[in-house]
Amino acid sequence: MTTTEASQTQQPRGALLVVEGGDRCGKTSQCTRLLDALHARGIDARAVKFPDRTSETGKLIDLYLKGAKDVDDHAVHLLFSANRWESMKHIRALLEQGTTLVVDRYAFSGVAYSAAKGLDLEWCKQPDRGLLRPDLVLFLDLDPIAAARRAGYGEERYERVDMQQRVRSNFMSLADGSWKILDASRTVDEIAADVSAAAIAAVEAARSTPLCSDLWCS
Ligand code: DGP
């Protein structure tokens, strides 16, 4: 087969779609709704969640989040980053085979949460530098006071309103042109409609743009 024939038969890549937001902003429901919407359009898509609590680093992170283990803030930051790095090869392979990924939290959570604990924001970015750059970041923006009224709030380490206010402002400082900020105080259906419209446009655009491992490299 010639090089031209090989490139003609190559599968267009999948899109890396990240969903971010503070605790109890409705991310999990929106990720499920988005996957359903993509599948309904015949798009090959899968869910990914960070932290991945099943890996060795993830098990430690889970104990930390549940308050069962104390870990130095810098060390836990590196652990969350390692948890993402250990999935990168697999994520790249899926994207290259044409699978779109709906990723529940990514490096933006890493920075927003650790910096909210007082770590330097630029320092926090460094371990995740060079991760795959998302095609789209969907940020579900919810007032932390409204989030605190939602069921289950307060069960994990970071679920305190003062902490969540700082997390929200850190997230905002990370936003760039690849972000879509959505008002998460609306109904699930209203948010889902905006999420799927933005995601479908990003899946289309990703077909003709290369995959880049250059998050925060410039
Ligand atoms: P979730 O399973 O989406 O509810 O996330 C669990 C908690 O962990 C949530 O409070 C956000 C926080 N978190 C997620 N990723 C990171 C990270 O990379 N670093 C830090 N410090 N916290 C994170």
Side-chain angles (χ1 to χ4, degrees):
M1 195 187 284
T2 65
T3 315
T4 320
E5 281 166 341
S7 60
Q8 276 169 353
T9 56
Q10 226 174 36
Q11 178 81 19
R13 74 168 174 95
L16 184 59
L17 309 173
V18 168
V19 183
E20 287 280 16
D23 288 77
R24 312 285 160 173
C25 66
K27 260 180 324 83
T28 308
S29 316
Q30 289 302 329
C31 285
T32 308
R33 291 284 297 258
L34 176 54
L35 265 187
D36 290 347
L38 294 171
H39 291 158
R41 283 167 180 78
I43 296 167
D44 173 17
R46 279 200 211 177
V48 173
K49 175 157 177 54
F50 289 116
D52 168 8
R53 301 191 194 212
T54 63
S55 73
E56 288 309 308
T57 57
K59 285 177 196 157
L60 208 52
I61 289 170
D62 187 50
L63 289 175
Y64 170 79
L65 287 172
K66 289 180 173 146
K69 192 168 181 66
D70 268 326
V71 184
D72 170 80
D73 289 342
H74 298 82
V76 87
H77 181 73
L78 298 174
L79 211 51
F80 273 105
S81 176
N83 187 256
R84 287 183 281 276
W85 276 108
E86 62 194 6
S87 291
M88 271 315 110
K89 255 196 204 134
H90 182 54
I91 286 185
R92 174 179 275 280
L94 288 171
L95 292 168
E96 282 174 348
Q97 77 174 34
T99 305
T100 282
L101 298 178
V102 174
V103 183
D104 183 340
R105 293 200 186 280
Y106 199 53
F108 311 100
S109 280
V111 173
Y113 281 81
S114 290
K117 290 189 286 182
L119 302 192
D120 178 74
L121 189 134
E122 285 308 315
W123 182 88
C124 290
K125 283 169 129 178
Q126 297 312 308
D128 286 299
R129 208 171 158 229
L131 284 183
L132 286 164
R133 177 155 43 91
D135 294 292
L136 174 68
V137 179
L138 293 151
F139 180 69
L140 303 185
D141 186 32
L142 184 64
D143 177 356
I145 293 171
R149 287 192 213 108
R150 293 191 170 178
Y153 191 90
E155 283 168 9
E156 283 201 335
R157 186 178 285 265
Y158 297 139
E159 293 180 346
R160 295 189 332 261
V161 171
D162 60 330
M163 169 79 184
Q164 295 292 322
Q165 307 272 26
R166 293 193 297 276
V167 167
R168 186 189 196 189
S169 88
N170 290 336
F171 268 127
M172 292 302 186
S173 75
L174 297 171
D176 65 14
S178 68
W179 282 49
K180 189 160 177 66
I181 297 173
L182 299 163
D183 173 1
S185 68
R186 295 172 299 159
T187 67
V188 174
D189 286 346
E190 284 170 332
I191 304 163
D194 283 356
V195 164
S196 64
I200 287 158
V203 169
E204 196 49 50
R207 295 167 76 89
S208 54
T209 45
L211 196 54
C212 291
S213 292
D214 66 351
L215 181 69
W216 295 327
C217 285
S218 52

